[in-house]
Amino acid sequence: MTKTSMRASTMLDVVALKSAYKDLSDKPQYQRRFHVMAKPGGAKCNIDCQYCFYLHKEDLLHQPKQPKMDDETLEAFVKSYIESQDGDEVVFSWQGGEPTLLGLDYFRQIVTLQKKYQPAGVRIENDLQTNGILLNDEWCEFLAQNNFLVGLSIDGPEEIHNKYRVTRSGKPTFHLVMNAVETMKKHGVRFNALVTVNNHNVKHPLEVYRFLTQELGVTYIQYNPVVEPSDFKTTAPQFWNDSMIPTVGSELAKPGHPMSVVTDWSVDADDWGQFLIATFEEWVNNDLGRVLVNLFETAVAQVMGKPSQLCITAEFCGKGLAIEHNGDVFSCDHYVYPEYKLANVKDRPLNEMAFSIRQQAFGTAKRDSLPKYCSECPYLKLCWGECPKNRLLKTPDGEEGLNYLCPGIKAFFDYSLPILTGISVLLGQNQ
């Protein structure tokens, strides 16, 4: 175990760095900027998506049947989050589980608290990730009036969406989501599409993309590939059994095998590459400049030498924390396991957690723990090993730490890099 691994970072104390505190000099050398994914309702949800990576937190974190961030904790979070940052904008992200289960009055309280602690000259923004089922007229009036950006979870057209996104009684949810779409459009609510790419819809890239862009009319799409280790309900990332880590290309590195390293509903890495290629080709030919796709937009930016727009393709991570309903703060939304708990927001301010020796080690380990296979890859600076929680494989040389999606990511860049380069040249000329 190297000192730069994420697992090793969990052994460090949460000691605040100098940069945790505001630079009060006439010419500040830095600004404190970070993001927290807030889960005020814990893992509680009103549907039962088989591939969900968060529902099991009810058991893992011993959550009550009705988890809810109480008034004291909510105010402590809002106050600390605003006071811990120096920019002219603070973005709150509300997720779950399903956050709308907390009720509309709860979110009215959130907006009231934000106004209470909002400094002069600072803009407060909110985004809400939801399955949409509870979004009625009253909800949408509130969201529009308070300029919430909604991230709507939808996996494609009806048959594709209903494969995994069902109610607790197993009933389809597509028609409920479409009702939410119509209601949001009626009230002028801004919304994006959040697509969970799994072993089913990955086989239908154009059906998914064309449905979202042509039928729903969305202009921003976030694709999230499902990669869940077979023991994800009990084992934290980087705490896997080393002896059970397969080599890339083996049958154990694919979904469907009884001894696979991932769940059956996880996306196959090769399929992921083909999904990206087909979607990218459609995007370039028909929607370039009109539709924003998270993975393609950041690829263009990085080819131009600009910083990544996403944590997964950035050189470092650690600036995206998560807070649970009881105020416990974790290193990342995908690292909400006891091993990666930093502290509780009622015990210490968020800035001392976000800018701490421990969180810094967690963030830099994204780059420093990469295997030689990655450091020698021509696409290193476009990928940076993707998300560390997906580093489930060994390289062909037997070194641990290779991303499960690596074959698909490489196939995508093999195809797209000449086109990305051409786009970057055109954009540079326009500038």
Side-chain angles (χ1 to χ4, degrees):
M1 187 61 59
T2 63
K3 292 183 179 180
T4 54
S5 73
M6 288 183 167
R7 182 170 177 172
S9 75
T10 65
M11 300 296 105
L12 300 174
D13 292 331
V14 184
V15 178
L17 298 163
K18 179 183 177 182
S19 56
Y21 307 103
K22 187 177 180 66
D23 186 345
L24 298 174
S25 60
D26 293 337
K27 297 181 179 181
Q29 297 182 4
Y30 60 85
Q31 281 194 335
R32 300 171 301 167
R33 298 301 302 271
F34 64 99
H35 183 251
V36 174
M37 185 68 76
K39 300 171 181 290
K44 183 176 176 60
C45 191
N46 52 354
I47 64 175
D48 189 16
C49 305
Q50 185 178 355
Y51 57 59
C52 183
F53 79 97
Y54 214 79
L55 279 177
H56 75 282
K57 305 298 183 185
E58 294 176 329
D59 298 325
L60 181 71
L61 303 180
H62 307 292
Q63 295 183 351
K65 289 185 178 180
Q66 300 294 331
K68 180 180 180 180
M69 186 176 287
D70 61 35
D71 293 349
E72 178 189 2
T73 307
L74 180 63
E75 183 160 6
F77 166 58
V78 171
K79 181 176 185 292
S80 182
Y81 191 47
I82 292 174
E83 292 179 349
S84 294
Q85 307 202 52
D86 303 324
D88 57 5
E89 180 185 65
V90 178
V91 179
F92 284 82
S93 295
W94 307 99
Q95 196 191 53
E98 176 50 47
T100 59
L101 287 171
L102 293 168
L104 188 49
D105 285 342
Y106 192 87
F107 279 85
R108 291 190 176 110
Q109 180 185 3
I110 286 172
V111 172
T112 298
L113 288 171
Q114 290 172 339
K115 291 178 180 177
K116 177 179 177 180
Y117 293 105
Q118 182 177 9
V122 174
R123 186 171 65 258
I124 303 293
E125 299 286 350
N126 288 281
D127 56 69
L128 177 73
Q129 184 170 335
T130 175
N131 57 40
I133 290 175
L134 297 179
L135 295 185
N136 55 21
D137 285 319
E138 189 179 12
W139 260 106
C140 289
E141 287 174 6
F142 167 82
L143 295 171
Q145 289 170 1
N146 292 281
N147 200 35
F148 272 63
L149 172 64
V150 171
L152 183 70
S153 294
I154 186 164
D155 287 354
E158 186 168 6
E159 183 277 329
I160 292 174
H161 176 89
N162 286 336
K163 171 69 175 179
Y164 288 123
R165 301 192 68 83
V166 296
T167 66
R168 297 240 174 203
S169 59
K171 295 180 180 179
T173 63
F174 179 80
H175 65 290
L176 300 173
V177 178
M178 292 305 293
N179 287 341
V181 170
E182 294 305 313
T183 308
M184 285 193 291
K185 287 181 176 180
K186 182 173 74 172
H187 291 279
V189 177
R190 297 179 301 133
F191 72 96
N192 299 331
L194 304 180
V195 183
T196 304
V197 183
N198 51 70
N199 69 328
H200 180 63
N201 62 357
V202 72
K203 303 286 190 179
H204 308 279
L206 297 185
E207 289 179 58
V208 172
Y209 180 82
R210 289 170 181 169
F211 167 76
L212 296 172
T213 56
Q214 297 175 16
E215 295 190 42
L216 253 60
V218 298
T219 55
Y220 184 87
I221 304 171
Q222 179 178 328
Y223 288 116
N224 299 312
V226 176
V227 180
E228 294 303 338
S230 55
D231 60 354
F232 77 100
K233 292 184 178 181
T234 57
T235 306
Q238 278 72 52
F239 281 80
W240 306 299
N241 183 341
D242 294 348
S243 65
M244 300 296 290
I245 297 176
T247 301
V248 62
S250 74
E251 288 300 310
L252 300 184
K254 293 180 174 294
H257 191 283
M259 296 296 290
S260 175
V261 71
V262 295
T263 59
D264 289 348
W265 55 84
S266 292
V267 68
D268 178 90
D270 293 329
D271 288 346
W272 175 238
Q274 293 307 306
F275 179 94
L276 290 176
I277 290 170
T279 306
F280 180 77
E281 184 176 35
E282 179 81 2
W283 175 74
V284 167
N285 289 334
N286 298 292
D287 295 318
L288 182 63
R290 185 182 73 86
V291 175
L292 305 181
V293 179
N294 64 334
L295 296 171
F296 304 156
E297 295 294 324
T298 195
V300 171
Q302 287 174 267
V303 168
M304 296 179 71
K306 299 179 183 295
S308 170
Q309 301 171 0
L310 305 172
C311 60
I312 59 171
T313 54
E315 184 175 1
F316 305 106
C317 61
K319 292 295 182 68
L321 286 66
I323 186 169
E324 255 294 339
H325 75 286
N326 63 352
D328 285 345
V329 179
F330 298 83
S331 287
C332 172
D333 181 32
H334 287 279
Y335 282 75
V336 178
Y337 290 83
E339 294 88 343
Y340 291 95
K341 176 185 169 182
L342 296 170
N344 191 285
V345 73
K346 291 179 288 188
D347 298 328
R348 63 188 309 173
L350 286 165
N351 55 299
E352 293 186 1
M353 295 183 245
F355 303 98
S356 65
I357 290 175
R358 177 166 168 178
Q359 190 66 1
Q360 182 184 57
F362 174 87
T364 57
K366 182 180 193 294
R367 179 197 65 185
D368 296 345
S369 61
L370 284 171
K372 183 179 179 182
Y373 185 80
C374 292
S375 63
E376 295 178 349
C377 176
Y379 307 129
L380 171 66
K381 293 185 178 181
L382 300 176
C383 169
W384 290 111
E386 212 253 351
C387 183
K389 69 100 177 172
N390 294 335
R391 295 179 184 177
L392 301 167
L393 305 181
K394 294 178 182 177
T395 68
D397 298 328
E399 189 177 359
E400 294 178 9
L402 183 65
N403 197 291
Y404 169 86
L405 295 171
C406 177
I409 294 171
K410 292 184 75 172
F412 169 66
F413 283 123
D414 283 342
Y415 170 82
S416 67
L417 187 56
I419 304 171
L420 290 167
T421 302
I423 294 171
S424 68
V425 170
L426 290 173
L427 288 173
Q429 291 173 345
N430 289 337
Q431 289 176 350

